[in-house]
Amino acid sequence: MSSPQPLIQISGLSHWYKMGDEELRVLKDVSLHIHHGEFVAIIGPSGSGKSTLMNMIGCLDVPNEGSYRLDGQEVRELSDNRLSAIRNEKLGFIFQQFNLLSKLTALENVELPLIYRGLPHKERRMLAEQSLERVGLSSRKLHRPSELSGGQQQRVAIARAIAGKPSILLADEPTGALDTNTGKEIIQLIRELNEQGHTIILITHDLTVASQADRIIHIQDGVIAIDGGARV
Amino acid sequence: MNITQSLKMAVKSIMSNKLRSFLTMLGIIIGVAAVIALVSVGQGAASNITTQMQGLGTNLLTVNISGRGVATSLSYEESLTYAAVPGVKEVSPVISGQVTAKNGTDNVTVQTEGITPEYETVRDYHVQAGRFILPIDIEYRQRIALIGTGTAQDLFGTSNPVGQSVLLNGQRFTIVGLLASKGSSLQSSNDDKILIPISTAERLLKSKGVRSIYIQAQSTDTMDSAMNLIKAKLLNKFGSEDAYTVFNQQDMLDTASSISNTLSIALGGIAGISLFVGGIGIMNIMLVSVNERTREIGIRKAIGAKRRDILTQFLIESVTLGALGGLIGVGIGFGASKLVGKFTSLSVSTSWNIVLLAFCFSLAIGVIFGIVPANKAAKLKPIDALRTD
C-alpha cells in the first residue's frame, strides 16, 4: 500500500535539551514513516515532545541523535542555508498563533516565501493570489492581519503555507486560538487540501481535531505510544 | 532574494516607525550637516586669506629697513641696485608716511606712498582712469598723485577726481589717476591711499632714503635664491641682521593656508565625532529593533529566509537609515552654509568633495554600525526566535 520511498523517514531519533547540569530528554528513540498524501495527526499532552518532533520534521531544529530523511535526504548533514531552502520548498507551516507579519497585507504575507525563493514579481503575485483564492480570501487580500478575524488570519497563514506548493503541510495546533466553529472550518479546509494531494501533519492535544486525520500517532514522554497506522 | 526586494522591505520597515527612524537618523543628520557647514566656513576663510595675500602681488618679497647705528635707510639709487640681483625681476622702492589731504573743506589723514613706475607691476596696482606715475614724473619731481577709490570718495564724493587738485600737507598736487579698487588686505584697506612720485615724496614726507622695498622675483622657483642674495647684500650694507627684515609672501601664504587647513581639519574632526556618535545611535536602535523583531525573524526563517537574507535585510535597513540621514544632512548643511554666507561676514565655500565625503561617510557608518545587529539577527535560530513573543 505504501509508495517505494516514504516522504518522511525517521529512525532512532533522540533529542535532549541541556537545562543547567541536567539533560532533559524530550524525544527517545523515535522511529516513524510518513508517506506522500497522508493526513497524520500527532497527539499528546503538553510536554510529551510533540512540538519538538514537529520542529524536527519541520527542519527548524536538527536532532542530536538518529536519522531523519526527508525525501531521501539526511537532514542532519545539511547546512543552515540548505535547511532554509528545504523549509521554503518542501514545507508549509501553519502555527497556532498564525504568525503573520503585522506590517504586511494578506497578499504580501502570502508572497513572502515566494520572495525568499527568488521568484519574479509577476509569478509571485499570481501564485499568491491563487492560493488566497483557494482559502476563499481573495476579497481581503489588501487587508492587514489586524483587520482580519482569527479565522481569516489562519486562512491567510494557510494560503502562505500552500503558496509555494510544498509537499508537506505542518500544522501546530491550528485551531488552538480559534473558537469551535471557526476551528471546524479550518480543519475542513485542511482536509480539503489533503484531498488535493498535500501531505498533512497535524499536531494537537485535542482528540476531536485529531479524529479528522487518517492516522493518529500518540506520543507520550518522548516515545510513540500508539501509531494508529494508515486508515484504509 | 534580490536587492530591490530587500530595499523595499527596509524602506517599509523604516516608514512603519517614522518618529523612531527620524530620531535615529538625527545623529547622522546633525553630523553631516555640521561637517559640511563647518568645513565650508573653514575653506571659505582659507580662500579668503589666500586671495588677500595674492592681492599684495605675486612672487613678492618685502624688505623693511628698521635701521641700526649710522645707516638707517637706503638711498633711492642704492635701492635700485637690487634689481641687478639674480632672480629679481623688478624692484619697487617705497617711501611712505601719513599725510593730511584736503579738498575744499573736506580733509582726511591718509597713507601716502612715494613710488616708482615699477610699483604698478610689482604690487599689482592699476589705474581705472587717468594714467600711472611715469619716470619723467620722478625725474622732474612732479606734484602729481594717484588716488585710491576710498580716499577719492572721502574727498570728491561721486565726482571724477582725475584732473582735480588736492592739498597734501598744504602743497597742491594734481590728481592724474584713479586706482582700481583692491578691497582690504590683512593690514588695512588698499583703497584708502594716495600714491605720489618717490622723488616728490622725499620732500613732502621729509624722509630721506628708502625704508621699504617691494621686490618681485622672476618666478616662484627663483624666490628663495633671490631672497638669500638680497639678505646677503643687506647684511653687507648694514652689518647686522637686526637692521632689516625680509618677508617672503609665499611663506606668509603657506603659513596662512596651513593655519586655515588646520582650522578646517579641526572643525571637520569635531563634526566627524558627532557623525560617529550618530552611528552609535543607529547601532543602538538596530540592536533594539532586532530584539523586538525576534519573532518576525523566526517567522521569516521558518518560511525559508536564509541567513544571508536576514543579514542583508537588516544591513540594508541601517544603510538606508545612514543614507537618508546623510541626504537630509547634506541638504541642511548646504542650506546652513548658504545662510551663513548670506547673513554673516564670514565667507563660505562649499566644495562638492566635502559633500560627497560626508555622504559616503554616513553610508559607511550605516554599514559599519549595521553589521553587528544584522549579524545578531542572522544568527538567531528559528526555533528560539519563534518561541519568544
Side-chain angles (χ1 to χ4, degrees), chain A residues 14-28:
Chain A
S14 293
H15 196 71
W16 54 86
Y17 296 111
K18 279 230 157 66
M19 308 274 276
D21 292 339
E22 271 181 83
E23 261 180 16
L24 189 66
R25 285 183 85 85
V26 202
L27 291 176
K28 299 163 196 162

Side-chain angles (χ1 to χ4, degrees), chain A residues 103-209:
Chain A
K103 287 164 194 165
L104 306 183
T105 64
L107 188 65
E108 286 168 331
N109 264 295
V110 177
E111 259 186 283
L112 209 53
L114 306 174
I115 290 176
Y116 287 123
R117 194 180 288 187
L119 293 185
H121 179 80
K122 259 191 173 167
E123 196 179 342
R124 235 159 54 202
R125 263 290 131 91
M126 200 188 69
L127 282 171
E129 298 208 357
Q130 272 177 8
S131 63
L132 269 177
E133 206 177 304
R134 279 171 77 185
V135 299
L137 272 181
S138 292
S139 57
R140 319 228 67 181
K141 64 182 176 188
L142 297 180
H143 291 253
R144 281 166 207 277
S146 55
E147 298 157 350
L148 300 170
S149 72
Q152 285 170 332
Q153 286 187 53
Q154 193 59 298
R155 279 167 189 273
V156 174
I158 292 172
R160 180 178 67 186
I162 62 174
K165 301 197 168 37
S167 33
I168 306 167
L169 284 184
L170 275 171
D172 187 6
E173 303 274 11
T175 58
L178 301 172
D179 61 68
T180 325
N181 274 335
T182 325
K184 272 183 188 160
E185 282 170 34
I186 293 294
I187 290 297
Q188 183 56 36
L189 179 61
I190 291 174
R191 266 221 73 87
E192 281 165 22
L193 291 172
N194 175 240
E195 279 153 19
Q196 288 161 19
H198 288 281
T199 307
I200 311 273
I201 299 169
L202 178 71
I203 315 277
T204 183
H205 65 275
D206 185 346
L207 238 159
T208 48
V209 171

Side-chain angles (χ1 to χ4, degrees), chain A residues 86-98:
Chain A
I86 283 185
R87 286 198 293 272
N88 187 279
E89 287 157 22
K90 299 193 173 169
L91 295 156
F93 291 91
I94 302 162
F95 300 97
Q96 181 175 7
Q97 295 301 333
F98 324 134

Side-chain angles (χ1 to χ4, degrees), chain A residues 61 87-88 99 108 116, chain B residues 12 295 300-301 303 305 383:
Chain A
D61 204 354
R87 286 198 293 272
N88 187 279
N99 279 349
E108 286 168 331
Y116 287 123
Chain B
K12 192 165 270 181
R295 195 175 179 81
R300 285 179 187 273
K301 281 207 144 182
I303 62 174
I383 39 160

Side-chain angles (χ1 to χ4, degrees), chain A residues 26-85:
Chain A
V26 202
L27 291 176
K28 299 163 196 162
D29 199 21
V30 172
S31 294
L32 178 66
H33 287 189
I34 296 174
H35 292 272
H36 278 284
E38 277 195 89
F39 186 174
V40 181
I42 296 175
I43 188 164
S46 62
S48 60
K50 61 182 192 299
S51 284
T52 307
L53 184 59
M54 187 196 104
N55 287 340
M56 296 298 159
I57 294 173
C59 297
L60 291 168
D61 204 354
V62 178
N64 293 131
E65 214 175 80
S67 151
Y68 167 33
R69 287 176 173 277
L70 175 62
D71 240 354
Q73 218 161 15
E74 179 56 62
V75 168
R76 279 182 73 182
E77 292 164 358
L78 296 175
S79 69
D80 200 67
N81 271 346
R82 276 301 299 154
L83 287 178
S84 286

Side-chain angles (χ1 to χ4, degrees), chain B residues 158-178:
Chain B
T158 51
S159 66
N160 184 8
V162 177
Q164 305 208 45
S165 64
V166 64
L167 287 177
L168 299 180
N169 284 356
Q171 297 184 31
R172 188 164 296 276
F173 278 69
T174 306
I175 295 169
V176 295
L178 176 64

